Amino acid sequence: MKEIKKYSRYIITISIIVSFVFLFTKCIDKEKEKTVSAPPTTKVNFDEFAGSDACISCHKNIYNKHILTAHYLTTRPALEKYIKGSFEPGKNKYVYDSNMTVMMEKRDSGFFQVGYYQGIERITKRFDIIFGSASKGQTYATRFKNRIYQLPVSYFTAAKQWANSPQFPTHPVIFNRPITSRCLECHSTFAQKISAPGVEPEEFNRDHIIYGVDCEKCHGPAAKHVAFQTQNPTDTVGKYIINPAKFTREQKLDLCGLCHGGRLQKTTASFQFTAGDKLTDYFNIDQTPPNPDSIDVHGNQFGLLRASKCFKMSTTMTCITCHNTHENERGQTALFSQRCMSCHNDQTAHTCKMTATIGNAIKQDCINCHMPLKSSNSITELIAGQKNPTAAMIRSHFIAIYPDETKKIMTTIISHTKKNKH
Ligand code: HEC
Ligand code: HEC
Ligand code: HEC
Ligand code: HEC
Ligand code: HEC
Ligand code: HEC
Ligand code: HEC
């Protein structure tokens, strides 16, 4: 009883503070993204999805590898096993200034970001949804009624510590930057928006969300496929399901370009694009090639690749020429280099001019010289005590000759060979 009373007092205090903070920061956080128009009926509906757990019984191998990919992990419910940052005393705080500290706290009912002003607890928000596999970092969202808000403290993998969320102010500390349907469209498989077009912050059905870039993002909603194959176990031809292997080059590129094509301006409601569709039916796309030095948002892999000689001079290259999206292949440089050599080998005569200089070792790494890491402009996080945010490093998909990178790498190769000779 005492507990409950305490709890409700607590809730009231928090609500007062929350509404205060909301009022305070509302003007700062006007969302720019506006829905232009929504189709009269929804083309894609929640009940057409089966969820990837429904695929296990028949596609176990793919499923088991898929759950280790950045795609699957890119949004998850806030379970301990998925949150990368530490809740241990000493490691669980982000100090904004002498007055304001946010502590990451594990309590009986979950994980919380707790704002303390001069040591007094002022605002408490639960971690509800995790964004990010943490290859670069994670940011966290909390639910408030049917809305979803990004929290002020993120996890920054390069520094292995908590950091201020990208592009968040440090004064005031805000707990209410809305997560938009476009955020979710790139980081989840489906979320059902229930607020009218143009109403901000947007509202979502709490139960109708499919986390992660899951099977059905690339294969289309599959409830019908699951039902059919279950009822017809001897049928060995997959029915009611999309296989991107059968797509044209444009369709393949459009599927990946939905989320890897930079800032697209949507012209219909989110989540209506389905694998196989034409991206230009849903978005206005800026066709001017991006400046290779502007690597975002967060990484415009499609735009940069399209600007590369490699892509322009080949008639077949798509993202899946180099990426097997069912597997986590991060960091496997030699494997990726083999995929370069499927086109650049002695038979095609398109070999690297450095081959003679470097010798056999060249086969291990085409990547660092021709697709160097560059600083992100949008994934930048402020570490406590530093003046300027640190940028995450992103792999450039502008495949080209970078003399400076070559110099750096040649120096390490030469010093390596010298060491081996002694
Ligand atoms: C009851 C068994 C069963 C379940 C459950 C099932 N599938 Fe299938 N699926 C099959 C069979 C059988 C085929 C045809 C043989 C093959 O390609 O493996 C198939 C084929 C496929 C294909 C290739 C289609 C083509 O045209 O080449 C895809 C993609 C696919 N399934 C995706 C899924 C996804 C995603 C799920 C979960 C949402 C799922 N399947 C659940 C049985 C199943
Ligand atoms: C619904 C949006 C969406 C679609 C469609 C999509 N991706 Fe992604 N992809 C993402 C997001 C978001 C990430 C970042 C995940 C993370 O690290 O949290 C990502 C990460 C990746 C990565 C990095 C993997 C790693 O280990 O870090 C590769 C490679 C990739 N995607 C390739 C593709 C290819 C190829 C396609 C098309 C077949 C595709 N993606 C389609 C959203 C998408
Ligand atoms: C156009 C699609 C798109 C939109 C919109 C988008 N993201 Fe991303 N996001 C990506 C991709 C793709 C990556 C993988 C890194 C890269 O390629 O730049 C990524 C990376 C991330 C990461 C780091 C993931 C990791 O594991 O390292 C976080 C966190 C993140 N996004 C959060 C958000 C939030 C929050 C929003 C909305 C405010 C958002 N993103 C909007 C596509 C998108
Ligand atoms: C990021 C997009 C993406 C995701 C997520 C994804 N797939 Fe695929 N899948 C593809 C592409 C692309 C192909 C065609 C590959 C090719 O051309 O060889 C494919 C092919 C397939 C096939 C045909 C047979 C094969 O092995 O190539 C099956 C079956 C399949 N996927 C099932 C699944 C299941 C089940 C999941 C989730 C556990 C899943 N996929 C998740 C993109 C994806
Ligand atoms: C010519 C080969 C090639 C093609 C084509 C290609 N990629 Fe990549 N991609 C790579 C390599 C190599 C890496 C670095 C992998 C690593 O080290 O883990 C990479 C990394 C990525 C990453 C992770 C970036 C990061 O910094 O974490 C994403 C996302 C990605 N690719 C998406 C795409 C998409 C989308 C397409 C199609 C528009 C595409 N790639 C086409 C070779 C390619
Ligand atoms: C699908 C085939 C294909 C694949 C895979 C491929 N390339 Fe290429 N690449 C080409 C073609 C075609 C050209 C143009 C050759 C010419 O100049 O005639 C080219 C050109 C290049 C150039 C010259 C660029 C310039 O600006 O002069 C470099 C460097 C290069 N590729 C590196 C790579 C690397 C590194 C990879 C792997 C990450 C890769 N390529 C994968 C087909 C491919
Ligand atoms: C140490 C850095 C380095 C590595 C490793 C490297 N390259 Fe290169 N590559 C270069 C430089 C520098 C040039 C330009 C040389 C010149 O024009 O004299 C070049 C040129 C090329 C070209 C253009 C050739 C032409 O005829 O214009 C291709 C294609 C290429 N590289 C592919 C690759 C592939 C594939 C690999 C991996 C097997 C690779 N490179 C590994 C630095 C590198």
Side-chain angles (χ1 to χ4, degrees):
M1 216 30 215
K2 215 170 138 204
E3 271 307 306
I4 295 172
K5 246 194 189 156
K6 215 169 106 199
Y7 191 56
S8 56
R9 206 176 333 122
Y10 182 69
I11 300 258
I12 292 164
T13 326
I14 288 168
S15 326
I16 293 168
I17 293 160
V18 166
S19 33
F20 176 73
V21 173
F22 273 25
L23 278 175
F24 204 63
T25 47
K26 217 173 175 174
C27 19
I28 299 168
D29 256 309
K30 276 264 159 69
E31 255 304 300
K32 282 159 209 90
E33 213 173 353
K34 271 239 159 73
T35 314
V36 178
S37 69
T41 51
T42 335
K43 188 174 133 255
V44 181
N45 296 296
F46 180 74
D47 54 12
E48 292 159 32
F49 290 89
S52 53
D53 287 353
C55 320
I56 303 174
S57 56
C58 305
H59 302 288
K60 194 162 169 228
N61 286 340
I62 295 178
Y63 176 86
N64 284 342
K65 289 177 191 152
H66 168 69
I67 57 173
L68 304 174
T69 61
H71 278 150
Y72 178 79
L73 295 169
T74 202
T75 37
R76 289 286 101 207
L79 303 178
E80 188 157 21
K81 63 175 173 180
Y82 295 126
I83 304 178
K84 293 293 177 202
S86 174
F87 290 87
E88 269 174 52
K91 292 183 183 164
N92 68 333
K93 65 178 170 193
Y94 188 86
V95 180
Y96 281 88
D97 54 40
S98 54
N99 286 328
M100 189 69 193
T101 297
V102 174
M103 305 284 281
M104 273 49 70
E105 297 182 6
K106 183 181 177 177
R107 296 181 175 176
D108 287 347
S109 52
F111 299 93
F112 295 86
Q113 293 198 3
V114 188
Y116 289 89
Y117 186 77
Q118 296 182 339
I120 297 161
E121 181 171 336
R122 286 293 180 84
I123 180 165
T124 307
K125 287 284 163 193
R126 185 203 297 272
F127 287 74
D128 286 320
I129 305 172
I130 303 170
F131 279 75
S133 69
S135 75
K136 291 168 200 69
Q138 287 183 331
T139 202
Y140 308 95
T142 195
R143 288 172 178 283
F144 178 71
K145 296 185 174 164
N146 291 322
R147 301 182 193 134
I148 306 173
Y149 294 102
Q150 190 175 359
L151 292 171
V153 180
S154 290
Y155 177 74
F156 191 34
T157 304
K160 291 199 174 68
Q161 57 176 282
W162 300 107
N164 192 38
S165 294
Q167 276 103 47
F168 266 52
T170 50
H171 189 81
V173 179
I174 57 167
F175 283 72
N176 66 334
R177 174 170 289 184
I179 293 282
T180 62
S181 52
R182 184 63 182 134
C183 259
L184 288 165
E185 187 169 33
C186 287
H187 283 277
S188 75
T189 298
F190 185 81
Q192 187 170 51
K193 184 171 151 176
I194 52 177
S195 53
V199 171
E200 288 166 7
E202 293 166 286
E203 296 186 19
F204 303 91
N205 182 321
R206 293 174 73 98
D207 304 320
H208 289 188
I209 176 162
I210 299 168
Y211 292 117
V213 178
D214 214 350
C215 318
E216 291 165 284
K217 196 79 204 191
C218 301
H219 294 294
K224 220 172 157 185
H225 169 67
V226 170
F228 178 87
Q229 307 297 155
T230 306
Q231 279 154 25
N232 301 278
T234 52
D235 200 319
T236 53
V237 181
K239 299 252 169 50
Y240 309 113
I241 190 79
I242 297 166
N243 186 349
K246 297 169 188 163
F247 285 174
T248 63
R249 188 187 193 193
E250 281 330 297
Q251 284 176 305
K252 286 180 186 166
L253 289 165
D254 277 2
L255 170 58
C256 311
L258 171 68
C259 312
H260 294 283
R263 280 188 200 284
L264 311 178
Q265 208 53 48
K266 64 181 176 182
T267 53
T268 69
S270 292
F271 293 106
Q272 299 308 305
F273 174 94
T274 309
D277 286 350
K278 251 175 98 147
L279 213 48
T280 47
D281 289 344
Y282 300 83
F283 297 91
N284 285 327
I285 299 173
D286 183 3
Q287 299 290 354
T288 47
N291 171 356
D293 293 325
S294 73
I295 194 113
D296 291 284
V297 44
H298 315 272
N300 184 356
Q301 286 90 10
F302 184 24
L304 291 168
L305 184 69
R306 209 167 36 180
S308 310
K309 202 169 170 187
C310 231
F311 181 84
K312 288 196 271 194
M313 303 289 283
S314 139
T315 51
T316 54
M317 182 184 275
T318 66
C319 311
I320 55 181
T321 307
C322 297
H323 292 290
N324 172 358
T325 51
H326 290 159
E327 289 192 36
N328 181 344
E329 298 183 324
R330 172 164 281 275
Q332 297 191 43
T333 309
L335 177 69
F336 283 109
S337 303
Q338 273 170 27
R339 292 179 185 154
C340 307
M341 290 182 284
S342 67
C343 294
H344 296 290
N345 54 49
D346 293 339
Q347 277 79 47
T348 59
H350 287 314
T351 49
C352 183
K353 287 201 176 141
M354 302 292 288
T355 309
T357 322
I358 299 173
N360 233 6
I362 200 167
K363 293 185 180 153
Q364 297 302 310
D365 184 4
C366 313
I367 313 304
N368 284 307
C369 287
H370 291 297
M371 298 180 69
L373 290 169
K374 298 249 176 177
S375 305
S376 166
N377 297 319
S378 69
I379 308 183
T380 64
E381 304 200 38
L382 189 66
I383 297 162
Q386 292 190 353
K387 273 222 173 76
N388 297 310
T390 311
M393 300 304 279
I394 295 211
R395 186 65 66 186
S396 177
H397 278 63
F398 183 65
I399 305 174
I401 291 158
Y402 296 84
D404 288 349
E405 297 299 326
T406 298
K407 246 185 245 154
K408 261 193 270 169
I409 286 164
M410 286 312 288
T411 318
T412 54
I413 293 177
I414 291 163
S415 68
H416 226 84
T417 357
K418 271 199 187 138
K419 237 193 260 151
N420 288 347
K421 273 192 186 142
H422 283 297

